[in-house]
Amino acid sequence: MFKPIISLILFLISWIFWPKANQENPSSDPFSGITVCHSYNDDMAQFVNEPGFAAFHPAPTDLDFQGKGSMTTFSTPDGGNASGYLIKASVPTDKWLFVYQEWWGLNDHIKHQADVFYDDLGGKVNVIALDMYDGKVTSNPQEAGQLMQGVKEERLENIVAGARLMAGSGAKIANVGWCFGGSWSLKSALLNGQQNLGSVIYYGMPVRDIEKLKTLNSDVLGLFATEQYISEAVIKEFAANMETAGKKLTYKIFPAVHGFSNPSNPRYDEPASKEAYGLAITYLKEKFGV
C-alpha cells in the first residue's frame, strides 16, 4: 500500500524541481541579448564589465605631441573648479567647439584632435577639450573602465555648465566626442539648450529619452562602428527616436571596430577615420559658417 504513496511523492518532487519553460515574451529591446550588470541607462559605463568590451580598447600608443593651446581652469556651479585644454580663436568670437574625451581621460590624443579641429576650422573657433575626469588619465583599459564607472553624472553636468558659463551667454557651441565622449557630445548639446549649434557622436551611446531629444536645438551627426554594444539595433532605435522627436539625425555605420578613429589605437582604421573626419569637419564648418 505504500508503493503508490511513494510514487506520488516522487512525482510531486520531480514536478516541483523540473525546469520550467520561460513563458515570458522575448523583449524587443535591442539590449535584450546583452547582459549588463545593472539597469540600462544612456552612458557607456554599463558596458565596462561586459566580456569583450575592453578588447575594443587596446592601450593607446604613445603620441609625440606639442600643442597649440594650454590648460585653463574655470568655475563650476557646484562650487568647484574644472579644467580644459583651450585653443583660443585668432580673433575674438562667440563660436565654441566643446571636445569630449574617450574613457582614457583628457590625454594627448584628445588634445591633438582639438588642435586638428582648430586648424581645419581656420582658427576662427575657440576649441576646448574638457577634462571630464578632473585630472585623471590612464592608458590601462581596466583603470579606464573604473574611471568611467566612478565618475558622477552630476559632476559631469557641472563641468559642461561651467564651460558654458566661461564661454559666455552669447556663445554658440557645437560638440564632438568619441566613445564616452560621444555620449557626452549629445548630452552637452542637450544641456547647452539654445546655445547649442550641433553634435557629432563618434561611436557613443545615444540618449534614449524622446522627451529630452525633443529639446535639442540642432540636428546630430552620428559616426558609428560595426559592434555589438553600440549596435545597429541601438543606432536604428536612436534614429527612430530622433524622428519621433522631430529632430534630424544623419549617420553612418562604418565597417570598422569601436575606436577606429583614434590614431593612437593599435586598431586604428585610417580609411574609415578619414571618411568619418571628412563628414565631421564638413558638418562643423557648416554649423559655424567658416
Side-chain angles (χ1 to χ4, degrees):
M1 69 182 282
F2 294 104
K3 190 172 183 180
I5 296 174
I6 293 172
S7 297
L8 178 60
I9 292 171
L10 291 173
F11 171 79
L12 290 173
I13 292 172
S14 64
W15 181 83
I16 291 169
F17 291 101
W18 190 263
K20 305 297 189 297
N22 185 357
Q23 299 299 319
E24 296 178 358
N25 291 328
S27 172
S28 60
D29 192 299
F31 292 92
S32 60
I34 301 176
T35 303
V36 295
C37 61
H38 52 280
S39 59
Y40 168 69
N41 54 57
D42 292 339
D43 65 38
M44 301 290 294
Q46 63 194 297
F47 299 129
V48 168
N49 296 327
E50 285 298 300
F53 184 72
F56 283 114
H57 302 82
T61 56
D62 292 334
L63 183 68
D64 184 12
F65 172 71
Q66 299 293 326
K68 297 176 179 292
S70 59
M71 294 299 294
T72 189
T73 302
F74 51 88
S75 300
T76 55
D78 57 2
N81 291 307
S83 62
Y85 173 75
L86 173 64
I87 318 107
K88 290 187 176 180
S90 55
V91 295
T93 179
D94 284 332
K95 298 174 181 178
W96 285 79
L97 177 64
F98 286 6
V99 179
Y100 290 96
Q101 69 199 41
E102 296 175 305
W103 73 342
W104 308 109
L106 180 54
N107 59 16
D108 284 347
H109 163 66
I110 298 300
K111 294 175 183 177
H112 174 258
Q113 287 300 311
D115 280 0
V116 171
F117 279 118
Y118 177 83
D119 285 342
D120 288 345
L121 291 169
K124 299 177 181 179
V125 177
N126 301 297
V127 179
I128 184 167
L130 298 179
D131 182 357
M132 303 297 276
Y133 288 171
D134 288 318
K136 298 182 179 70
V137 183
T138 185
S139 59
N140 179 284
Q142 286 70 40
E143 291 178 0
Q146 291 171 5
L147 288 172
M148 189 167 67
Q149 284 184 320
V151 71
K152 304 293 186 183
E153 186 89 358
E154 183 179 2
R155 175 57 183 163
L156 297 172
E157 291 177 353
N158 274 282
I159 292 172
V160 175
R164 181 178 66 252
L165 291 170
M166 178 193 65
S169 60
K172 296 299 182 182
I173 304 165
N175 312 273
V176 61
W178 303 261
C179 186
F180 165 83
S183 297
W184 274 93
S185 174
L186 180 55
K187 290 181 180 181
S188 177
L190 290 164
L191 291 168
N192 291 332
Q194 295 301 306
Q195 291 183 251
N196 169 60
L197 286 179
S199 170
V200 181
I201 304 172
Y202 275 86
Y203 33 80
M205 174 58 64
V207 171
R208 209 176 188 188
D209 188 325
I210 294 173
E211 293 305 310
K212 288 183 179 179
L213 294 175
K214 287 180 179 178
T215 69
L216 267 173
N217 192 47
S218 72
D219 62 343
V220 174
L221 173 64
L223 306 169
F224 298 103
T226 305
E227 55 169 306
Q228 73 184 88
Y229 299 101
I230 317 299
S231 65
E232 184 176 3
V234 172
I235 297 161
K236 287 184 175 179
E237 183 200 49
F238 178 42
N241 288 345
M242 285 285 283
E243 183 175 2
T244 301
K247 305 299 177 181
K248 180 182 177 182
L249 170 67
T250 303
Y251 73 89
K252 178 166 183 176
I253 302 174
F254 289 85
V257 301
H258 184 95
F260 70 83
S261 198
N262 183 344
S264 74
N265 185 342
R267 299 186 180 190
Y268 173 62
D269 188 316
E270 185 173 3
S273 183
K274 284 185 176 180
E275 183 180 352
Y277 181 76
L279 293 171
I281 196 63
T282 298
Y283 174 89
L284 292 171
K285 285 180 176 180
E286 178 184 338
K287 296 303 173 187
F288 288 121
V290 299

